[in-house]
């Protein structure tokens, strides 16, 4: 049995000499350091960090402050563990909460800190402190090169795609520093000023892969902020325009839509993004992002690629156009009409009414009739209603029948097909809630013409 004073390097050699072991020295050293440290080993590991040449001077001074406490017989205490926890928050570039208890900052969740998580489960201050010191001498050591209290540089990050455990067909993209520090999750690209919507991307279809590519490309270029290289030049990234006269001959970006008529920008069709080479970007980078080996793509690499492949900003005057909500509902109306129903005309344009606000709440309703309605519902006409919180439903004579309850933004032809063959009256309704990661704004854009950015 090795003595408690055996160093991590000595234990790594012992692991390598174990019968059947095929670990390189680096892996063996990592395995040795991930185990519990004896107090004497913890003190020696701290001293080695203090004396190391590749540690920032400010961090060396910080770690040096832990050494005197390590010599006390009653050490470690909960106060020592809390102090180390504060260091982990500083190391991750985030502010520690007011009441700091031993834990792992969310920004470090993708680091190989299983031994630290195991120590947290025990609730033991010594176990946590020794596991934290092992992490500082192992997977977190390269982060100590950055000065104390210095945040990661935002212009030098990498992107990684990860499969969602509960939905293998969906992926989320995370942003990391070159050290592997988690910064944030990629959000759906939405017009500037709208609430961001982070979530999962469906990658089994071409539109889904393009959505993911657009999100990564837009994020790397600066999103839809007015100063971004990805923002629309006509509306300055907010997706809306204000008409300066009733004839809509002139428009300005709708920074504060407190007067005049607010229109959807015709340059970006409400997306806030200028035309981007998403198809070429997907073909070039998504295979690397989705590699099982954990491949990553750097922001610097994306910027260099975009400079050579992105088209120039269109030099067109600001003009308004049909909004994405009109396009989606128009597709639904066309599909319902093709299925044999008659859209009952109303005073609203196109025979339907809709609502779509800056929060992403979309709704529409129109009446359908004709022989198809008689066959399917045994009535002359029914009211077709859609809202983003419950999907499409059919209302007639006070009864409400939900259609496609599992789809928040169903395909137009799916709505028409369900109308033709409605569910049986005694069929149990679905209790499954719509997926929370789905952004109605982004989903509706899938039904626009393929020329949208």
């Amino acid at each position: 049995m090795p003595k408690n004073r055996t160093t991590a390097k000595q234990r790594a050699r012992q692991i390598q000499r174990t019968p059947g072991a095929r670990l390189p020295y680096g892996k063996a050293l990592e395995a040795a350091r991930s185990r519990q440290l004896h107090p004497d080993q913890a003190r020696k590991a701290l001293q080695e960090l203090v004396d190391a040449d590749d540690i920032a001077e400010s961090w060396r001074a910080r770690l040096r402050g832990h050494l005197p406490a390590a010599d006390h017989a009653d050490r470690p205490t909960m106060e020592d563990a809390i102090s180390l926890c504060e260091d982990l928050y500083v190391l991750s570039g985030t502010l520690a909460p007011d009441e700091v208890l031993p834990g792992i900052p969310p920004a470090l969740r993708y680091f190989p800190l299983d031994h630290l998580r195991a120590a947290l489960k025990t609730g033991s201050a010594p176990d946590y402190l020794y596991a934290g010191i092992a992490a500082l001498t192992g997977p977190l050591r390269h982060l100590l090169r950055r000065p104390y209290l210095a945040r990661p540089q935002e212009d030098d990050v990498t992107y990684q795609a990860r499969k969602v455990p509960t939905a293998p067909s969906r992926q989320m993209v995370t942003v990391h520093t070159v050290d592997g520090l988690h910064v944030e999750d990629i959000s759906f690209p939405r017009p500037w000023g709208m609430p961001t919507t982070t979530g999962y991307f469906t990658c089994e279809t071409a539109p889904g892969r393009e959505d993911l590519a657009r999100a990564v490309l837009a994020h790397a270029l600066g999103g839809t902020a007015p100063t971004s290289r990805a923002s629309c030049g006509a509306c300055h990234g907010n997706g809306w325009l204000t008409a300066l006269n009733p004839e809509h001959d002139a428009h300005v970006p709708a920074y504060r839509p407190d007067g005049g008529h607010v229109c959807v920008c015709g340059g970006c069709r409400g997306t806030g993004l200028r035309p981007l080479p998403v198809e070429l970007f997907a073909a070039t980078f998504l295979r690397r992002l989705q590699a099982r080996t954990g491949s990553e793509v750097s922001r610097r690499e994306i910027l260099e690629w975009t400079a050579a492949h992105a088209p120039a900003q269109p030099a067109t005057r600001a003009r308004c156009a049909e909004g994405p909500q009109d396009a989606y509902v128009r597709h639904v109306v066309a599909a319902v009409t093709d299925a044999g129903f008659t859209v009952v005309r109303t005073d609203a344009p196109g025979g339907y009414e809709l609502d779509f606000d800056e929060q992403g709440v979309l709704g529409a309703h129109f009446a359908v009739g004709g022989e198809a309605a008689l066959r399917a519902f045994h009535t002359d006409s029914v009211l077709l209603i859609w809202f983003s919180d419950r999907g499409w439903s059919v209302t007639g004579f006070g009864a409400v029948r939900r259609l496609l309850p599992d789809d928040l933004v169903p395909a137009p032809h799916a709505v028409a097909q369900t109308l033709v063959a409605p569910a049986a009256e005694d069929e149990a309704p679905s209790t499954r809630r719509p997926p929370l990661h789905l952004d109605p704004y982004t989903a509706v854009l899938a039904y626009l013409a393929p020329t949208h950015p």
Side-chain angles (χ1 to χ4, degrees):
M1 292 291 292
K3 296 181 180 180
N4 287 332
R5 295 178 182 273
T6 303
T7 66
K9 293 181 179 179
Q10 290 173 324
R11 285 193 287 121
R13 294 299 184 192
Q14 293 172 356
I15 292 174
Q16 281 189 302
R17 289 193 293 268
T18 302
R22 294 292 185 272
L23 286 176
Y25 176 72
K27 291 292 184 181
L29 184 60
E30 181 180 345
R33 284 171 171 164
S34 66
R35 298 180 179 181
Q36 291 286 353
L37 292 182
H38 187 272
D40 290 343
Q41 295 174 334
R43 295 188 190 99
K44 187 171 183 179
L46 273 176
Q47 186 65 57
E48 290 177 353
L49 282 176
V50 170
D51 298 336
D53 295 332
D54 59 341
I55 304 299
E57 179 60 36
S58 53
W59 267 111
R60 195 155 49 237
R62 173 71 179 176
L63 295 173
R64 189 179 291 118
H66 289 290
L67 284 175
D71 294 331
H72 294 177
D74 58 349
R75 186 217 182 242
T77 64
M78 182 59 70
E79 286 72 18
D80 297 318
I82 290 175
S83 179
L84 181 70
C85 185
E86 292 176 342
D87 287 346
L88 294 181
Y89 271 94
V90 172
L91 198 67
S92 69
T94 57
L95 295 176
D98 295 335
E99 184 180 0
V100 182
L101 295 176
I104 302 176
L108 297 178
R109 60 181 172 177
Y110 292 125
F111 272 88
L113 301 179
D114 293 339
H115 54 291
L116 193 56
R117 293 183 177 89
L120 283 173
K121 292 181 179 180
T122 66
S124 168
D127 289 348
Y128 177 82
L129 193 66
Y130 299 152
I133 294 175
L136 291 175
T137 58
L140 299 182
R141 175 166 180 160
H142 54 300
L143 294 179
L144 295 173
R145 299 170 183 170
R146 183 162 29 96
Y148 186 76
L149 293 178
R151 291 184 59 82
Q153 294 186 7
E154 297 181 356
D155 62 343
D156 196 9
V157 297
T158 62
Y159 299 90
Q160 300 178 20
R162 299 175 182 273
K163 288 186 176 181
V164 181
T166 56
S169 63
R170 301 182 183 275
Q171 293 185 338
M172 66 182 302
V173 183
T174 52
V175 186
H176 303 256
T177 66
V178 292
D179 293 320
L181 181 68
H182 175 258
V183 178
E184 61 182 342
D185 297 337
I186 287 290
S187 60
F188 292 92
R190 308 192 79 201
W192 173 58
M194 283 188 171
T196 57
T197 306
T198 57
Y200 309 136
F201 297 87
T202 303
C203 305
E204 290 185 338
T205 63
R209 289 189 290 271
E210 290 180 8
D211 282 343
L212 189 149
R214 182 180 294 106
V216 175
L217 187 55
H219 185 279
L221 294 174
T224 56
T227 56
S228 168
R229 281 170 279 187
S231 64
C232 173
C235 64
H236 294 185
N238 60 15
W240 304 93
L241 298 172
T242 298
L244 298 181
N245 55 56
E247 290 74 24
H248 295 254
D249 293 330
H251 295 82
V252 294
Y255 293 119
R256 293 183 300 273
D258 51 1
H261 188 79
V262 179
C263 313
V264 175
C265 176
C268 64
R269 304 183 79 171
T271 66
L273 299 174
R274 71 180 181 91
L276 298 172
V278 293
E279 294 182 5
L280 184 59
F281 182 85
T284 306
F285 289 100
L286 283 198
R287 186 179 297 274
R288 287 175 50 191
L289 276 173
Q290 298 171 320
R292 293 184 178 181
T293 56
S295 179
E296 57 188 24
V297 178
S298 68
R299 182 172 186 261
R300 192 182 307 277
E301 185 178 3
I302 294 175
L303 295 179
E304 293 175 354
W305 180 90
T306 307
H309 296 87
Q313 180 78 270
T316 58
R317 68 181 182 88
R319 56 181 176 82
C320 62
E322 180 187 49
Q325 72 278 23
D326 297 89
Y328 172 67
V329 179
R330 179 167 46 81
H331 279 70
V332 174
V333 172
V336 169
T337 303
D338 292 341
F341 293 89
T342 300
V343 175
V344 180
R345 299 292 299 181
T346 66
D347 294 335
Y352 56 86
E353 296 182 4
L354 52 85
D355 179 33
F356 185 74
D357 62 21
E358 65 274 8
Q359 299 298 323
V361 178
L362 172 62
H365 66 271
F366 58 90
V368 297
E371 294 183 2
L374 282 172
R375 290 194 303 268
F377 300 97
H378 310 291
T379 183
D380 292 337
S381 65
V382 292
L383 186 63
L384 193 61
I385 303 177
W386 190 87
F387 284 105
S388 60
D389 61 345
R390 62 176 182 268
W392 287 98
S393 63
V394 176
T395 302
F397 301 103
V400 177
R401 177 180 295 168
R402 295 190 63 187
L403 302 176
L404 302 169
D406 292 340
D407 293 327
L408 191 63
V409 186
H413 65 84
V415 177
Q417 183 179 4
T418 310
L419 276 174
V420 174
E425 292 287 352
D426 57 351
E427 183 175 332
S430 173
T431 58
R432 176 182 158 194
R433 295 293 299 167
L436 298 178
H437 57 265
L438 184 58
D439 178 16
Y441 188 91
T442 304
V444 167
L445 291 177
Y447 301 104
L448 293 179
T451 56
H452 76 276

